[in-house]
Amino acid sequence: MALKVLSALDSARTQWYHFKAIIIAGMGLFTDAYDLFCIPPIMRLLGRIYYDSAKLSNNTGGSNSTDNDKYQVPAVVTSTMVGIALVGTVIGQLVFGRLGDLIGRRRVYGLSLMLMVLSSIGCGFSICTKRSCILISLGFFRFLLGVGIGGDYPLSATIMSEFANKRTRGSFIAAVFSMQGIGILASSAVTMVVCKIFEATTSATATETPDEADIAWRVILMIGAVPAAMTYYWRMMMPETARYTALVEQNVLQATKDMVEVLDVSLSQIAEDEPVLPTDHNPTPYPLLSKKFFRRHGRDLFACAASWFLVDIVFYSSNLFQSHIYASFLDHKKEINAYQDAYNLARLQAIIAICSTIPGYWFTVYFIDRIGRVKIQMVGFMCMAVVYISIGVPYYSFWDKHNNRVGFMVLYGLTFFFSNFGPNTTTFIIPAELFPARFRSTCHGISGASGKVGAIIGSVGFLWASHNKTEDGYPKAIGMTASLIILGGVCLVGMVVTYLFTPETKGRSLEENEKDYDNEDELRQRVLPQPI
């Protein structure tokens, strides 16, 4: 017989608190996406401000810069700015994920958000105006920002999964994750608005970069902290999840009291029939990463970590070498001013978000508890593979040669749609459902950290690999055809891993999914004191 408070959570009707939790938890993912995807247009502004080829030549004493180098941020700098935030994210997922299980989800939830807010503001202030100092300062704060973002992943997913009912749990967690799509769109919209305001209020000529541009990119970064800061109070007011309180802290009475306020039910409906007293936090029957842990959960952890690793290789490579893909859609840098340059790139990002990224997230929200996690993940991987190979094989002979913009962008948009209506979302959901309460946040953090290692490979590795000639500061590499075909192959591997190793969690309680106890009687005996 299961605990009444947990049964009440599993069967609770959808109510206002669920939607409030989605917004509170989702703001971290919103800030994550905002800060990540405002970087491409900001790098365009930084190139204009700090990498004018004439100034660069004068400052360094060199004379080899050409028109092709004008306003071009060096490839090493671009890769570092992208990679350093992802390294911070890996660390944040591992550290905050573990802390979420050791001292409680709620106790570290506000800390991760506050770190994100302060780091976003720090990125904007970047304490000086010299190029080298700016880049070091920006890199430092983006690393801290990555730590905060990484911490938010396992905590948001775990909290939402432990508050949700089993009938709509997948939709609720997917809705939290879908805030990334809103964050991508918001970053583009803010960039476009800020650029237009600065362009209208400064006397920039057709190609001039006014001094005020150095303020514009800072404003864009700092605005991203506002929505997250606005939800900090509500994060601090959230009660600890009943599952953590009852199953990890073994305080069933406190869990019941907390859920009375959340579920809009009376205490008598969810109080246990037997007397329940708070107990001390007993040692776990087996430690994390022990032989027993791997025997019970090793397969699931491999499935989650491997799938997330593979999808992030593809997802982040698509997003972060998009300026290379968009080259034929953008006006030449030398023909427009700094604000127009950043505006045009942000507008393309917004179009992709509206037409494919956001619909993909919300298709998952609608279908996840109808179709199931595994089917959506497999179909997403398969469709992404087909699209990448369709783009990659004829890339130079057809897409690049004939400049078929509309057809190319339709296919490119489909990669984002099937990523989000597919493994990019499901890999966030499944680790929050498979593992025991005392390991849930940690295992989600391990899975997410594995994903961000894949993101580093995708965003930095393929950023360099996608060039078939020396251009924009990048050396000649394997080119777009080989890069896209490899990404298609990665998707096929992801589909196979999903089919062979990933269990379905749809419609089951978290306690049924976790496989941590032989039966419900053993679960009840674990957390309820026996009558004398």
Side-chain angles (χ1 to χ4, degrees):
M1 183 178 179
L3 294 174
K4 285 186 177 182
V5 65
L6 303 187
S7 298
L9 279 168
D10 283 334
S11 59
R13 60 180 176 81
T14 301
Q15 51 195 279
W16 164 242
Y17 191 84
H18 290 121
F19 295 106
K20 182 179 177 181
I22 288 171
I23 294 171
I24 295 171
M27 271 304 123
L29 280 301
F30 174 98
T31 305
D32 163 25
Y34 182 100
D35 288 308
L36 181 64
F37 293 104
C38 71
I39 282 297
I42 282 176
M43 295 306 291
R44 311 282 283 209
L45 287 173
L46 291 177
R48 292 283 186 153
I49 300 165
Y50 297 108
Y51 288 94
D52 185 300
S53 59
K55 294 179 181 178
L56 182 61
S57 177
N58 292 335
N59 290 339
T60 61
S63 58
N64 296 325
S65 58
T66 67
D67 283 343
N68 291 332
D69 301 319
K70 193 172 180 65
Y71 310 134
Q72 183 64 49
V73 178
V76 172
V77 175
T78 301
S79 298
T80 301
M81 286 301 163
V82 170
I84 198 166
L86 294 174
V87 170
T89 304
V90 171
I91 295 171
Q93 286 175 318
L94 294 173
V95 172
F96 280 90
R98 189 62 185 137
L99 290 176
D101 284 334
L102 292 177
I103 64 177
R105 289 75 159 113
R106 177 182 173 276
R107 291 175 184 170
V108 293
Y109 202 28
L111 178 59
S112 67
L113 187 69
M114 184 54 62
L115 184 58
M116 292 165 66
V117 170
L118 295 177
S119 299
S120 295
I121 296 172
C123 286
F125 274 115
S126 290
I127 55 179
C128 43
T129 57
K130 291 184 179 180
R131 187 180 68 208
S132 58
C133 185
I134 281 287
L135 294 175
I136 292 172
S137 176
L138 184 59
F140 172 75
F141 284 112
R142 280 190 62 75
F143 172 79
L144 293 181
L145 176 64
V147 174
I149 288 171
D152 205 77
Y153 269 72
L155 297 173
S156 292
T158 299
I159 286 172
M160 194 68 246
S161 72
E162 293 182 344
F163 272 128
N165 62 62
K166 65 181 180 181
R167 183 176 59 85
T168 58
R169 183 178 60 238
S171 294
F172 288 157
I173 305 174
V176 169
F177 196 64
S178 73
M179 293 296 287
Q180 277 196 335
I182 307 301
I184 295 170
L185 182 60
S187 71
S188 299
V190 168
T191 300
M192 292 163 66
V193 170
V194 170
C195 287
K196 283 300 181 183
I197 291 174
F198 273 80
E199 185 179 19
T201 55
T202 57
S203 55
T205 63
T207 58
E208 182 186 8
T209 302
D211 293 338
E212 291 83 358
D214 195 40
I215 300 174
W217 68 268
R218 300 170 187 270
V219 171
I220 293 168
L221 281 171
M222 288 191 286
I223 287 176
V226 174
M230 292 173 63
T231 60
Y232 180 78
Y233 172 79
W234 285 276
R235 280 203 178 190
M236 292 295 90
M237 293 298 102
M238 291 180 74
E240 183 58 84
T241 69
R243 284 185 161 89
Y244 184 85
T245 304
L247 300 177
V248 180
E249 293 185 336
Q250 300 185 4
N251 191 338
V252 181
L253 180 59
Q254 184 61 50
T256 303
K257 291 178 179 178
D258 289 341
M259 289 306 100
V260 167
E261 301 178 8
V262 171
L263 297 176
D264 192 24
V265 296
S266 66
L267 183 62
S268 60
Q269 290 178 275
I270 58 175
E272 298 297 326
D273 296 329
E274 301 175 20
V276 179
L277 297 174
T279 61
D280 293 332
H281 186 98
N282 295 329
T284 59
Y286 55 92
L288 178 70
L289 306 183
S290 63
K291 289 183 179 180
K292 190 172 184 180
F293 172 88
F294 281 112
R295 186 169 64 251
R296 293 195 174 194
H297 310 294
R299 180 188 178 96
D300 292 342
L301 185 58
F302 170 79
C304 294
S307 298
W308 207 331
F309 172 79
L310 294 168
V311 72
D312 271 9
I313 291 176
V314 180
F315 184 76
Y316 281 83
S317 65
S318 298
N319 277 291
L320 296 174
F321 66 68
Q322 63 188 359
S323 59
H324 178 66
I325 292 176
Y326 291 162
S328 62
F329 293 82
L330 300 174
D331 294 324
H332 201 283
K333 292 180 182 181
K334 292 178 290 187
E335 299 170 357
I336 55 177
N337 64 37
Y339 302 124
Q340 293 166 344
D341 192 12
Y343 177 93
N344 289 344
L345 181 54
R347 181 178 61 185
L348 280 172
Q349 289 188 160
I351 292 171
I352 290 292
I354 293 171
C355 294
S356 63
T357 303
I358 293 175
Y361 283 120
W362 286 99
F363 264 65
T364 303
V365 171
Y366 183 79
F367 286 108
I368 187 75
D369 287 311
R370 292 170 170 82
I371 298 176
R373 287 75 162 142
V374 171
K375 290 180 180 178
I376 288 177
Q377 186 162 304
M378 288 183 62
V379 170
F381 268 129
M382 181 183 69
C383 291
M384 289 167 66
V386 170
V387 174
Y388 273 112
I389 293 171
S390 299
I391 296 174
V393 171
Y395 181 80
Y396 292 110
S397 61
F398 181 75
W399 299 115
D400 190 46
K401 182 177 180 180
H402 296 285
N403 199 22
N404 188 333
R405 295 186 177 190
V406 175
F408 180 84
M409 289 305 293
V410 168
L411 288 177
Y412 185 60
L414 286 175
T415 65
F416 288 96
F417 177 82
F418 284 110
S419 176
N420 294 317
F421 181 43
N424 189 47
T425 304
T426 54
T427 51
F428 180 80
I429 295 171
I430 294 173
E433 299 180 312
L434 276 180
F435 301 100
R438 63 184 179 277
F439 299 139
R440 186 169 293 133
S441 178
T442 301
C443 290
H444 195 286
I446 293 171
S447 302
S450 173
K452 289 303 172 284
V453 172
I456 294 171
I457 295 172
S459 60
V460 178
F462 281 93
L463 186 67
W464 287 73
S466 60
H467 299 266
N468 70 331
K469 59 184 178 180
T470 302
E471 57 183 348
D472 296 335
Y474 293 93
K476 181 180 178 180
I478 61 176
M480 287 294 292
T481 292
S483 296
L484 291 168
I485 291 174
I486 291 172
L487 292 174
V490 170
C491 293
L492 292 176
V493 174
M495 183 179 69
V496 172
V497 169
T498 302
Y499 177 75
L500 294 178
F501 297 103
T502 305
E504 181 56 70
T505 57
K506 175 174 72 79
R508 296 164 57 88
S509 72
L510 295 181
E511 286 67 49
E512 291 172 321
N513 284 328
E514 70 183 32
K515 299 184 297 185
D516 197 38
Y517 297 92
D518 295 330
N519 52 60
E520 288 187 348
D521 289 339
E522 185 180 343
L523 167 63
R524 186 177 178 82
Q525 187 177 24
R526 167 83 175 92
V527 298
L528 290 182
Q530 297 298 307
I532 297 176

